[in-house]
Amino acid sequence: MPAPKTTLSQVREMAMRVIQGDALCNIACEYGYSASPSRFRVRAKCVLTPEEYAKLLDRLNENRKVTRFRPAVTGNWRINLERLEKIKGMTDLEAAYLAGIIDGEGTLTLAHRRRNELRGWESIEPHISISNTDVGLMKYLSQLLGIPFYAIKEKRSRRWKQSFAISISAFAEIEALLSRVLPFLIIKRRRAEIMLQLVRRRLSRLPYTDDDRKLLKEFRRINRRGR
């Protein structure tokens, strides 16, 4: 499950440490704080005196490169440290069981986004989802991965059962998950290998190459089989 919300007393502690010289980006993980910087300022204003709040703003603006809120990110997604610990801490038995679920009920996708050649912007975005109608199974997976599941919006027929899904899009979480289950995957093994390779290159901040685009084409070709 997601980390508990940081309390106002903890926000005050963080703010006072920033005033005393600590960098906010360095202590955010310590307190499990992952909200936006503007949200931090709003909450800090509730627990600080006007003089303390003015000092906090001065300190944050003194050297933004050091003190600005910079949570560890991959792509546009913040890293949830609790989820990472859960995923990495899976036993081999749990990883093998999860691999079987992914082989049967999982979906691996890679979205390729690209602007014009002049701007040179490009992104390959991975996504893993697991869907099922068994609430008990989804609760188990939610506890195993630390990720909440949600109900898929609508049923096309009253005879159909309600479907539920778990989604993972953060690069770091996908890298940790695939590293654990890859040895046990069968049906989706090659897709997982390609996704893991691309994710690791992205985490290393390496630019996309023609080899990456070839892997993307291979991934899409495998996903199209059977249509």
Side-chain angles (χ1 to χ4, degrees):
M1 301 300 291
K5 184 178 179 180
T6 310
T7 64
L8 284 175
S9 62
Q10 290 175 320
V11 170
R12 177 175 172 78
E13 288 178 19
M14 292 172 63
M16 296 306 296
R17 286 180 61 176
V18 171
I19 290 171
Q20 292 164 10
D22 283 337
L24 179 56
C25 59
N26 292 336
I27 64 174
C29 290
E30 181 182 335
Y31 287 86
Y33 190 85
S34 59
S36 66
S38 59
R39 180 62 179 163
F40 173 77
R41 290 193 293 270
V42 168
R43 298 189 72 198
K45 190 173 183 179
C46 298
V47 293
L48 297 177
T49 64
E51 293 78 12
E52 290 171 338
Y53 185 66
K55 289 179 182 178
L56 174 66
L57 295 182
D58 288 341
R59 177 58 186 154
L60 291 174
N61 291 325
E62 253 176 42
N63 186 348
R64 294 192 177 189
K65 289 184 179 180
V66 176
T67 61
R68 69 181 180 182
F69 180 73
R70 293 182 297 168
V73 296
T74 53
N76 294 323
W77 297 84
R78 290 189 177 90
I79 295 174
N80 187 311
L81 296 178
E82 185 178 357
R83 290 182 187 176
L84 278 181
E85 289 301 316
K86 280 182 171 289
I87 293 170
K88 292 178 180 178
M90 283 190 296
T91 65
D92 285 346
L93 181 61
E94 290 170 334
Y97 179 76
L98 180 58
I101 296 296
I102 292 175
D103 265 339
E105 307 292 338
T107 302
L108 279 67
T109 57
L110 287 171
H112 187 208
R113 304 180 189 279
R114 197 172 186 176
R115 291 185 186 170
N116 58 54
E117 296 293 333
L118 251 148
R119 300 187 70 174
W121 180 88
E122 184 174 16
S123 175
I124 297 176
E125 300 172 6
H127 184 79
I128 299 175
S129 65
I130 302 171
S131 59
N132 198 275
T133 58
D134 190 317
V135 178
L137 172 63
M138 300 309 291
K139 285 182 178 179
Y140 170 77
L141 295 178
S142 179
Q143 293 173 355
L144 179 65
L145 301 173
I147 301 173
F149 66 94
Y150 57 91
I152 296 175
K153 288 186 178 179
E154 60 180 72
K155 300 187 294 181
R156 295 182 183 177
S157 169
R158 291 182 180 179
R159 298 179 182 178
W160 292 8
K161 291 183 178 180
Q162 176 66 60
S163 292
F164 303 92
I166 283 178
S167 296
I168 307 171
S169 296
F171 285 99
E173 292 175 11
I174 288 178
E175 195 275 336
L177 177 62
L178 292 182
S179 297
R180 291 294 291 120
V181 303
L182 186 60
F184 308 103
L185 286 172
I186 299 174
I187 299 171
K188 296 185 172 71
R189 185 183 183 90
R190 181 54 185 159
R191 275 169 278 193
E193 288 174 344
I194 293 172
M195 183 178 287
L196 184 58
Q197 185 174 340
L198 291 173
V199 165
R200 283 176 173 168
R201 283 185 58 80
R202 187 64 187 122
L203 287 172
S204 300
R205 305 295 181 187
L206 295 173
Y208 293 115
T209 65
D210 288 338
D211 289 337
D212 294 333
R213 297 178 192 103
K214 288 178 183 177
L215 287 173
L216 177 63
K217 288 181 181 178
E218 180 185 351
F219 183 94
R220 288 179 168 175
R221 186 172 64 250
I222 297 171
N223 261 2
R224 281 196 297 267
R225 288 179 184 170
R227 286 190 177 181

